[in-house]
Each structure stands twice: as C-alpha cells, then as structure tokens.
Amino acid sequence: MTLLFLGGPLMGNAFAQTPVAAVPAADTGDTAFMLISAALVLLMTPGLAFFYGGFVRSRNVLNTLMMSFVLMAIVGVTWILWGYSLSFAPGLPFIGGLQWLFGNVGLETQGYLPHLPYEDALKAADPKYADLTSYAGTIPHQAFMIYQAMFAIITPALISGAIVERMSFRAYSLFVLLWSIFVYAPLAHMVWAKGGFLGLAGGLGALDFAGGTVVHISSGVSALVAAIVLGPRKTHPDRLSPPHNVPFVLLGAALLWFGWFGFNAGSALSVASGTSGNLVTNVATTAFVATNTAAAAAALMWLILEAALRGKPTAVGAATGAVAGLVGITPAAGFVTPLSAILIGFITAFVCFYAISFKHKLEIDDALDTYPVHGVGGTVGAILTAVFATTQVNGGGRDGVLRGNLGELGVELIAIAVAYAIAGVGTWIILKVIDATIGLRVKEEAELQGLDINEHGEEGYNSEFGDRPIQ
C-alpha cells in the first residue's frame, strides 16, 4: 500500500492522539471499500491453500491446506498483539515502536502519526506539503490495521509451497510465527511505514504499491532458502507425481485472482478521485484495471509459450501464468497505465516460465515453484515498476525510467537487495534455530506414508486408511 495517496486532506502535527471532537468523521464510502478489500485479501489465503493443495499428492492435501489456513489463526492473533505495532508504529527507520501493542489502536481517522524531521525539509521545498498524520485519512485507524493484517497473513503462507510434503507442522507453525516478527515486520516498516528506510514517506523513495518487495520477494527468497535448508523430499527428483487435483489448482488461482483486486485496488486506501497536474486520477480504479490486465496478459503469454515449446497449452500453465502476472503487477499497480500493465504481464510470465525450467535443472526441491513465481516475479515486477511508473497516473508516486527518472531504478535495486538480504539471512537463522531445538522434518516413514494421517490424524479423501477394521 502506498502511503501518500490518502483519501482525505492531511491535518496538522500530532504526536499524541487528537481529541475525538477535532478528528473528522470517517468517510463511509472509503471505510466500506477498505473493509471489503480486507475481506478479499483474506479470501486469498484459502485460495492459496487450494492452489497449492491441488499440486501435492492426495495423502498430503490436508496438511498443505492447513499450512495456509493456520496463518489466519496465528497471525490473526499476533498481528493485534504486536505485529501491527512493529510494522507501522513510529519508531526507527528499520522497525516500528511499541505504542500500539496489544491492540492499542483506536477509531480515529487522523492525528495518530507524529511529526518527523524530514517533513520540515519537504515543507521547505513545497509550502503546500501537509504533514502525514495518518496512513489513510478518511478511514478509522483500526480499518487500516485490519487491512494490513490480511497481507501479514498471506505472505508467510506463500513460503509453504516450497516445503510441502516433508516439514513437520509444529516446526512450520513456529517458523511462520518467528518469520512474521523478524522478517515481515521490518520489511513492512521500511517500505510502508512513515519514516521507514526504503519507502515514500521519508525514506529512499522505493515504489512498492502493494507488496512486490514486502510480500513476494520476501516470501519467494525465504521459500528458496527453506527448500535448501530442509533438503529435498525422499522421492525427489526420481519419483515426482503430477498434481492430484487440477480443478483445485484452477479454483485456487481463480480465488487468488478475485482476491487480488482487494490486494491491489485496496492499496489505494480510498475510492476518491484526485488530480495530478491537469489530469483527473483515481488510483483505486487504476490499480484494479492494471491488476486484471496484467494477470490476463501473463496467462496468455504462458499458454503461448506452452503451445509453442511443448505442443499443448495446459490448465496448470494458465493458472500459474495468471498468478505470475498478479505477482508482477503488485508493486506497480497504482503507478502504471493499462498498456504498461500488459507489458509487465507479458515480461513477468516470460521470465518466470524460464525460471521454473532453470530451477528444475538445479534440482532444488522448491516443490511448488514458489521462488520462480513469487521471488523472480516480484523482482521483475519491482524493476519494471521503476521503468514504467508515471506521476500522470499517480501524483503521489514517482516517474520511472521511461519518464526520465533513471535514479528510480537504482532506488528499486537497493530495495530489492535489502529484501533479499533480510529474507534470506533471517530465514536461514530461524530454520537453523528450529532444527537445533525441535527439528524441521517429519520422519522418513511419515513422509512416505503421508503427512495428513501422521501430522493431523485425518485424511482428505478417506481412501488409504478409512477401510481398516476397527481395533
């Protein structure tokens, strides 16, 4: 989410809470839009569960579904207790403060962010600059908090695609808990929080509209590291099986595509129109159009590549291509034109298609291609954001390379490098600590028999153990 296209006027300097009587009432249209967007983003997590669940063997389908579903429980609680404060509360350039711990977040629309020194320089350069006193000036603070919670839920769930069918559920649950604290929270703060090291609100000025670095690069890189640390499945690469349920894959991709409108369009934080120069703009609409356009372009490109190189376009290819396009457009959605969105979709799909082929040559058991789609797709999308971004679409952003701002590419490359470093090193440390304490993997017998019955005591289809006589 961008922090500079707020739905209402910014007001005054406020370090403490502004008295309720002085705070403008929430805009009902913007509030409804953001609550619906939050619900759409939450829907993406069960969508991801079905997308991943269709790929694995039938004896592991429930475990795979649970690796996404459990995030709604874990992060749904920890985000209120400490995650939101560490991610968005005013603090250091690299991590948030503690003032919003334990759900200490109100319904005020403005006045909950302090005046910071960098704003003096901005005011000196542009007398019309108004202090940033809220993240979304027309909706309750709690609405912004819960919207951000949905991003924090799905991001670590993405990692599970690389480590399915072999990681213990207990170890995985501990891993995502620690990862959300030590990897996600610092990155979210640096890119999206006021005063963060990398972002638009007092940082280097990296453009990440809805999560190219914070969500997709972080999860993709972490997935790659996790796959390497955990090691391959016992059957890899000799006895790999095809997806057990392709309709699940298509259903999951469709739910992801649908939910992604909340992910990207909701990141405008308002449905209001504004102006950029002499042009009328509406960032939510721009992001919505770009999201659908890039997904469609990427799915089309993937099908063309499959038909040309492998003879037949596949349903799995269409689903994977669409997801790659959605990943690629995420950082750019609110900054680019529809034509640029088509190009981003085409380019991202092309690169991700060959990244999957290259991964197979390396024989790294990233089981469901999380890094080639999310890590590579997020990286490509971040770079292309710096190329195609234009302030004619969004005056709160920056022009990109094609508009003469070559320096924006350098800023994006720095943000990408920081995301790679934090996600890669943080994930490696967390996994090594867990492995040294409770262990990472299930026993070989359990892996071969299936994680559903061994980790959860139940089956997805009641086919392998359901007919045994009662003891």
Side-chain angles (χ1 to χ4, degrees), residues 355-450:
I356 290 176
S357 298
F358 182 68
K359 185 219 74 172
H360 289 314
K361 292 180 180 178
L362 295 178
E363 296 189 353
I364 295 173
D365 192 14
D366 176 351
L368 306 183
D369 300 322
T370 305
Y371 177 73
V373 174
H374 292 277
V376 172
T379 303
V380 171
I383 293 171
L384 294 179
T385 301
V387 173
F388 292 111
T390 170
T391 52
Q392 288 188 331
V393 167
N394 185 343
R398 291 186 172 191
D399 285 323
V401 173
L402 295 183
R403 292 280 175 172
N405 182 17
L406 185 61
E408 188 60 32
L409 180 59
V411 172
E412 290 299 325
L413 291 175
I414 292 173
I416 291 169
V418 170
Y420 266 74
I422 291 176
V425 175
T427 298
W428 186 85
I429 292 173
I430 292 169
L431 288 172
K432 288 296 184 180
V433 170
I434 295 174
D435 194 30
T437 51
I438 65 173
L440 290 173
R441 294 188 66 135
V442 298
K443 295 180 180 179
E444 182 176 353
E445 180 184 358
E447 180 179 333
L448 297 175
Q449 190 180 54

Side-chain angles (χ1 to χ4, degrees), residues 209-224:
F209 188 76
T213 50
V214 179
V215 175
H216 296 295
I217 290 178
S218 69
S219 61
V221 171
S222 295
L224 179 64

Side-chain angles (χ1 to χ4, degrees), residues 293-306 309-310 317-329 341-357 372-373 376-378 380-381 384:
T293 304
L300 181 61
M301 172 59 76
W302 206 284
L303 291 172
I304 291 172
L305 289 170
E306 283 191 326
L309 300 175
R310 299 171 184 171
T320 305
V323 172
L326 291 164
V327 171
I329 198 60
I342 292 176
L343 295 174
I344 290 172
F346 281 160
I347 295 169
T348 304
F350 184 88
V351 176
C352 290
F353 183 90
Y354 282 100
I356 290 176
S357 298
V373 174
V376 172
V380 171
L384 294 179

